[in-house]
Amino acid sequence: MPNNPQPSSEDLARFMEQRGDIHKPWNLQILRLQKLKEAKNSMDPMEYIAKLQEAHADLMRLGKFWKGREAEVFEGSYVPSALIEPLPGSSDDR
């Protein structure tokens, strides 16, 4: 049994793509962190820390987009809101 049960970034990207979840910002962050983890040993420690801090800052900029959307974001089950939401891609879209 391998010590590292996590999939490679390539496997993770393929899985997300097959599920149609590759475009979701939280999934892109997971993929980004996995790629960074894989590159850690070949990077200068200061460059690694800088890239990690940059990834953290980007994650924090996602804000609380998941508030009220926990089931969709964390469980993958979408339940339409009782409120009418703007069409995706419209100027009023989140």
Side-chain angles (χ1 to χ4, degrees), residues 68-83:
R69 299 174 59 197
E70 289 88 349
E72 175 189 357
V73 173
F74 299 110
E75 298 168 12
S77 56
Y78 176 71
V79 177
S81 172
L83 300 173

Side-chain angles (χ1 to χ4, degrees), residues 5-55:
Q6 294 182 345
S8 70
S9 59
E10 187 176 303
D11 292 338
L12 188 57
R14 190 176 308 111
F15 174 76
M16 289 177 185
E17 196 171 51
Q18 288 171 348
R19 288 182 46 112
D21 289 342
I22 195 75
H23 67 282
K24 295 180 179 176
W26 54 91
N27 285 338
L28 291 174
Q29 284 297 329
I30 291 170
L31 183 59
R32 178 183 185 182
L33 290 172
Q34 182 62 29
K35 289 178 76 73
L36 185 58
K37 183 178 178 182
E38 291 171 1
K40 179 181 180 181
N41 292 333
S42 65
M43 297 174 75
D44 174 67
M46 295 308 291
E47 180 186 7
Y48 174 75
I49 290 171
K51 296 269 187 192
L52 193 57
Q53 288 172 334
E54 182 181 304

Side-chain angles (χ1 to χ4, degrees), residues 25 31 61 94:
L31 183 59
R61 276 194 285 280
R94 325 181 204 141

